[in-house]
């Protein structure tokens, strides 16, 4: 019978677990992950507000809707709009604001001064933790973001197979992306690492990613199923079966009991929440206020204006599962453990 209790696996063992398809074995995998989550944090689930404040980008990632060459409507929100949306999210009960951007040349030109001011307001006036997802920035900018008080630097490698990376993040440097997050960690920020499922990776690649996440000391780890985007080179590629994402979530939970692991509403909307929590996720991400004009990434509009991506909606589903959203103080305590 499948023994997952040790929590440490060789690469071969990880590959074997990723190969599981027997219903009873899958149930053991998900039950083990869930019981670890409950042991760590009882009935609490964390929640992040998502503020995608500029959709301009200098890069051409093959999987992304916002890639430079895609002829789409873009926006760059004002400071007032960004702060207003952040405040709305905080008042609705999120634990953190994830300030996310395309690699917008305009912000690079002004060396992130506006972003620094926004981080300071959310931290000092709204007393709320901040994650910054700016793409790759140089060390000098990381210094500024850390000094402004950003708690987290999120930067997903997507894969730890260099050949596959080259195909996905065409024209970008693997080491530069990796080193940016290592430097942020060295500067005392918490870091999030992530991978994409369904982009041509093998189980061996996934096992490598799972191990690397631990080696680099990521405190938050994620997987998102690839969602095809109109107008992008991968438009015709299929979205993968969600079982793959669920297995990866469960394995991340078992390997890294204290990690924050997102159930992202950005893949299947609010209807995807329950399965991800049941696989061992402990954090709801991509909460976006309805009618705010802010977008998601993989699902740029799904459930947003309908009010589906809200703390309120999530609470209803969690209550049915005997779970609840954590308070901001509970979240702050958890990340300082
Ligand atoms: N521009 C920054 C960057 O790339 O690091 C931050 C935001 S970026 C839009 C955030 C992440 O969204 C990407 O790293 C990728 O993992 C995910 N993503 C983008 N397009 C996706 C898609 N089509 N399907 C699933 N995830 C996607
Ligand atoms: C999410 N749409 O949490 C967001 C995004 C960026 N740090 C996060 C991918 O699913
Ligand atoms: Fe730009 Fe990020 Fe999209 Fe890549 S994933 S094209 S860096 S917004």
């Amino acid at each position: 019978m499948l023994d997952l209790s040790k929590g440490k696996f060789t690469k071969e063992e990880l590959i074997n677990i990723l190969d599981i398809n027997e219903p009873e074995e899958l149930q053991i995998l998900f039950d083990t992950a869930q019981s670890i989550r409950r042991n760590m944090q009882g009935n609490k689930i964390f929640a992040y507000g998502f503020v995608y404040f500029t959709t301009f980008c200098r890069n051409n990632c093959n999987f992304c809707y916002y890639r430079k060459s895609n002829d789409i409507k873009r926006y760059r929100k004002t400071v007032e709009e960004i702060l207003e949306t952040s405040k709305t999210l905080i008042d609705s009960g999120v634990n953190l604001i994830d300030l996310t951007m395309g690699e917008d040349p305009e912000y690079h030109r002004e060396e992130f001064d506006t972003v620094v001011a926004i981080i300071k307001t959310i931290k000092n006036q709204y007393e709320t933790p901040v994650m910054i997802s700016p793409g790759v920035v140089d060390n000098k900018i990381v210094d500024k973001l850390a000094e402004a008080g950003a708690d987290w630097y999120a930067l997903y490698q997507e894969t730890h197979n260099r050949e596959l990376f080259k195909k996905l993040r065409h024209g970008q440097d693997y080491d530069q992306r990796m080193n940016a997050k290592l430097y942020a960690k060295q500067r005392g920020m918490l870091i999030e690492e992530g991978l994409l499922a369904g982009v041509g990776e093998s189980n061996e690649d996934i096992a490598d990613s799972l191990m690397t996440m631990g080696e680099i000391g990521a405190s938050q780890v994620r997987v998102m199923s690839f969602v095809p985007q109109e107008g992008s080179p991968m438009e015709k590629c299929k979205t993968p079966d969600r079982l793959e994402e669920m297995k990866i979530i469960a394995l991340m939970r078992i390997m890294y009991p204290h990690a924050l692991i997102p159930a992202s509403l950005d893949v299947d909307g609010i209807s995807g929440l329950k399965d991800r929590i049941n696989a061992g996720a402990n954090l709801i991400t991509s909460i976006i206020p309805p009618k705010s004009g802010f977008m998601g990434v993989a699902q740029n509009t799904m459930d947003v204006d309908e009010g589906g991506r809200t703390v309120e909606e999530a609470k209803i589903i969690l209550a049915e599962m005997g779970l609840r959203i954590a308070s901001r103080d509970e979240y702050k305590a958890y990340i300082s453990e």
Side-chain angles (χ1 to χ4, degrees):
M1 211 46 187
L2 183 63
D3 178 20
L4 298 166
S5 55
K6 56 182 181 164
K8 279 201 172 55
F9 307 103
T10 63
K11 190 157 143 185
E12 286 64 38
E13 286 170 328
L14 287 175
I15 294 169
N16 288 336
I17 299 170
L18 288 164
D19 271 336
I20 290 177
N21 273 314
E22 290 294 316
E24 299 87 62
E25 291 198 318
L26 285 171
Q27 203 52 52
I28 296 174
L29 178 65
F30 297 133
D31 286 351
T32 307
Q34 268 195 71
S35 74
I36 293 171
R37 192 197 64 233
R38 281 192 190 270
N39 285 343
M40 294 304 295
Q41 60 186 86
N43 65 350
K44 294 193 293 291
I45 298 292
F46 302 112
Y48 288 1
F50 182 60
V51 181
Y52 194 9
F53 62 94
T54 170
T55 59
F56 286 87
C57 189
R58 63 185 179 187
N59 286 337
N60 253 326
C61 301
N62 280 329
F63 50 83
C64 184
Y65 181 65
Y66 302 96
R67 66 199 303 273
K68 185 181 177 189
S69 305
N70 213 10
D71 184 15
I72 54 166
K73 261 199 214 131
R74 298 177 193 265
Y75 61 74
R76 185 181 291 122
K77 298 292 183 186
T78 65
V79 173
E80 290 69 33
E81 287 168 326
I82 297 165
L83 290 176
E84 192 192 314
T85 288
S86 300
K87 191 71 172 57
T88 302
L89 283 163
I90 294 164
D91 291 344
S92 79
V94 303
N95 306 137
L96 168 148
I97 297 296
D98 176 6
L99 291 172
T100 295
M101 54 187 278
E103 292 195 8
D104 184 345
E106 183 56 29
Y107 283 99
H108 281 267
R109 191 189 54 76
E110 54 132 63
E111 297 189 330
F112 282 70
D113 286 339
T114 306
V115 180
V116 162
I118 294 166
I119 294 171
K120 284 185 177 162
T121 304
I122 298 174
K123 285 290 291 182
N124 304 333
Q125 287 183 36
Y126 306 166
E127 297 176 349
T128 299
V130 170
M131 168 179 273
I132 176 88
S133 310
V136 173
V137 294
D138 61 31
N139 290 357
K140 202 174 100 196
I141 303 293
V142 173
D143 289 341
K144 278 172 90 165
L145 299 171
E147 278 155 26
D151 301 86
W152 291 89
Y153 183 59
L155 192 67
Y156 319 140
Q157 210 71 18
E158 328 294 1
T159 177
H160 298 81
N161 172 330
R162 286 170 182 268
E163 288 308 308
L164 184 55
F165 179 95
K166 238 189 258 172
K167 289 189 198 152
L168 297 172
R169 289 192 160 270
H170 187 71
Q172 298 169 47
D173 189 276
Y174 182 98
D175 293 301
Q176 198 188 9
R177 195 165 174 90
M178 182 54 82
N179 288 339
K181 69 194 137 205
L182 294 179
Y183 182 70
K185 178 156 172 72
Q186 196 186 314
R187 278 300 321 247
M189 291 169 93
L190 298 165
I191 56 169
E192 179 180 21
E193 176 61 300
L195 70 121
L196 280 178
V199 288
E201 75 286 0
S202 66
N203 280 352
E204 185 179 354
D205 294 334
I206 298 171
D208 281 332
S209 288
L210 288 168
M211 294 171 100
T212 306
M213 288 169 165
E215 285 157 15
I216 66 174
S219 305
Q220 184 168 314
V221 288
R222 79 157 59 204
V223 52
M224 282 170 71
S225 296
F226 162 71
V227 179
Q229 302 298 322
E230 207 181 334
S232 72
M234 290 171 73
E235 174 173 12
K236 297 278 187 301
C237 297
K238 282 204 170 53
T239 194
D241 188 300
R242 296 298 182 260
L243 183 58
E244 208 52 40
E245 182 182 331
M246 303 310 143
K247 285 182 192 172
I248 298 169
I249 289 176
L251 266 173
M252 292 191 299
R253 170 58 60 223
I254 295 167
M255 293 170 75
Y256 309 118
H258 191 271
L260 286 139
I261 301 177
S264 174
L265 303 184
D266 209 23
V267 180
D268 295 315
I270 192 72
S271 69
L273 177 58
K274 193 173 172 184
D275 282 353
R276 289 169 174 80
I277 298 287
N278 281 339
N282 62 347
L283 161 69
I284 305 168
T285 66
S286 220
I287 292 176
I288 305 174
K291 312 254 161 63
S292 58
F294 283 77
M295 292 176 92
V297 177
Q299 294 286 0
N300 52 52
T301 56
M302 181 189 266
D303 290 349
V304 176
D305 282 348
E306 296 84 348
R309 291 213 209 168
T310 54
V311 171
E312 228 176 304
E313 282 294 311
K315 269 184 182 165
I316 298 170
I317 293 165
L318 291 184
E320 288 165 3
M321 302 169 74
L323 299 168
R324 68 172 174 88
I325 302 273
S327 70
R328 225 183 321 160
D329 284 344
E330 285 169 332
Y331 175 75
K332 287 181 184 173
Y334 194 80
I335 60 170
S336 59
E337 271 169 21

